[in-house]
């Protein structure tokens, strides 16, 4: 998905993306429960609530994926809700669309 987004943005162009994040303890509890059932992909939430399937890869994983596609983080903002929130990214495509290495943001 990110490679398609990266190709859709002109070199040096900007892209906005948001990623939902959940409380780490809830993710850990779900991972433990799914592991006991033989399903064990950390970050997946497949049971409970009305939302159905969610995948929470974690901030560091998202930043690694962005960097691998040559998308630099220009600005990051986090909006918190009760037990979950959204990390909002303003990204910029590399001038040559090559990766510049991992980018860390708070």
């Amino acid at each position: 998905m990110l490679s398609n987004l990266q190709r859709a943005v002109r070199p040096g162009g900007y892209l906005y993306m948001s990623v939902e994040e959940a409380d780490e303890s809830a993710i850990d509890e779900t991972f433990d429960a799914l592991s006991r059932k033989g399903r064990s992909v950390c970050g997946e939430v497949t049971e409970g609530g009305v939302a159905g399937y969610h995948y929470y890869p974690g901030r560091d994983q998202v930043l690694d994926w962005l960097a691998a596609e040559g998308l630099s983080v220009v600005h990051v903002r986090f909006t918190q809700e009760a037990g979950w929130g959204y990390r909002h990214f303003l990204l910029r495509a590399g001038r040559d669309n090559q990766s510049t290495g991992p980018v860390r943001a708070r």
Side-chain angles (χ1 to χ4, degrees):
M1 178 189 86
L2 284 175
S3 63
N4 288 337
L5 285 174
Q6 184 265 1
R7 284 194 306 270
V9 179
R10 289 185 177 137
Y14 292 91
L15 173 70
Y16 165 80
M17 185 177 96
S18 65
V19 177
E20 186 176 1
E21 293 184 8
D23 183 280
E24 288 294 321
S25 62
I27 293 171
D28 292 341
E29 288 173 22
T30 303
F31 176 67
D32 292 342
L34 291 175
S35 293
R36 288 190 295 275
K37 293 179 180 181
R39 298 179 288 167
S40 59
V41 175
C42 190
E44 282 189 323
V45 177
T46 60
E47 299 173 353
V50 296
Y53 178 88
H54 275 73
Y55 177 61
Y56 303 99
R59 183 186 70 213
D60 289 341
Q61 178 64 69
V62 170
L63 291 170
D64 288 345
W65 287 336
L66 294 172
E69 293 302 328
L71 296 165
S72 300
V73 176
V74 174
H75 184 73
V76 179
R77 181 172 179 234
F78 184 75
T79 54
Q80 180 70 50
E81 300 292 334
W84 60 276
Y86 286 98
R87 193 158 307 273
H88 306 273
F89 293 94
L90 177 60
L91 307 166
R92 188 168 189 191
R95 297 213 178 271
D96 59 0
N97 287 341
Q98 297 296 315
S99 174
T100 58
V103 177
R104 298 285 179 239
R106 292 180 232 199

